[in-house]
Amino acid sequence: KAGVTQTPRYLIKTRGQQVTLSCSPISGHRSVSWYQQTPGQGLQFLFEYFSETQRNKGNFPGRFSGRQFSNSRSEMNVSTLELGDSALYLCASSLGYSGNTIYFGEGSWLTVV
Amino acid sequence: AQSVAQPEDQVNVAEGNPLTVKCTYSVSGNPYLFWYVQYPNRGLQFLLKYITGDNLVKGSYGFEAEFNKSQTSFHLKKPSALVSDSALYFCAVRDRSGATNKLIFGTGTLLAVQP
C-alpha cells in the first residue's frame, strides 16, 4: 500500500512568487493535514481537511491556503512568498478521527530566495 | 491549551545500552499520544501511539512507551540502542475530544547512539 505522496520534493522560488504543493493521501484516508517545519519554530500545524471541508486552521497568515479534492488529494498554496516561508512542508493523512494513526509523507522542501 | 514538552534537546547513549526519550504533555481532556522519528532530510515516521487500554505501548523497531496519567508523561524507551536509532524524535498529542487530527508537537529530541 502506497504511503503519503508529496510533490514536488524540492523547489526553489523567488520572493513574491507563489507556490502550490500537492499531497496524495494513503488510499482510503479522508483526513489530510499540513504542517510546516522550520529549525526555529519546529513543527507547526497549518490546516486540516476532511471530505473537502477545512476542519481546522493554524495560526498562519492568509497567504497560506489549501483545499481538498473529492478523491481526498490535497493542495496547499502559498502566495507572495517571503524568505521566512522557507521550510519543509509535511502532509499527513488518516482514516478518520477515532484515534487512527496519522501518517506523514516525505515532505516538500521549499527554499525562497 | 494543549502542549508537549521534550525537556532534552539531545540524548546520548552507547550502543547496546537502554535509552529513554522523555515527553510530558498538557491537555484538557484525555489525550491521544504519538511518537514519530525523523531521519535527516526525511519526513516523519510513525513509531507508536497511545489511544486507550494498556499503559505500556509497543511500537516499531523495538521501541515502547509508557503512558503515565498522573505524571502526564509518555516516555519513549528501548532496551538496547542501535547506532541506526540515531535520529530526531518527536512526541505529539492530539486532543481526544472533537473531530480533529491536529497534532501538537514537542520540540524534538536528537538521539545520538555511539558505537
Side-chain angles (χ1 to χ4, degrees), chain B residues 17 19 24-25 32 39 45 85 107:
Chain B
N17 283 0
L19 70 88
T24 59
Y25 67 90
Y32 292 135
Y39 294 97
Q45 188 172 332
D85 292 331
T107 51

Side-chain angles (χ1 to χ4, degrees), chain A residues 35 48 96-97 99 102 106, chain B residues 36 42 49 94 100-101 103:
Chain A
Y35 293 81
E48 172 187 12
Y97 296 115
I102 301 169
E106 292 290 340
Chain B
Y36 290 89
R42 304 292 300 275
K49 66 181 179 183
R94 202 212 96 180
T100 177
N101 276 323
L103 292 173

Side-chain angles (χ1 to χ4, degrees), chain A residues 56-74:
Chain A
N56 211 337
K57 190 176 190 303
N59 189 24
F60 279 82
R63 300 185 296 107
F64 290 81
S65 63
R67 59 178 175 169
Q68 186 181 32
F69 302 96
S70 58
N71 62 358
S72 294
R73 191 177 68 85
S74 177

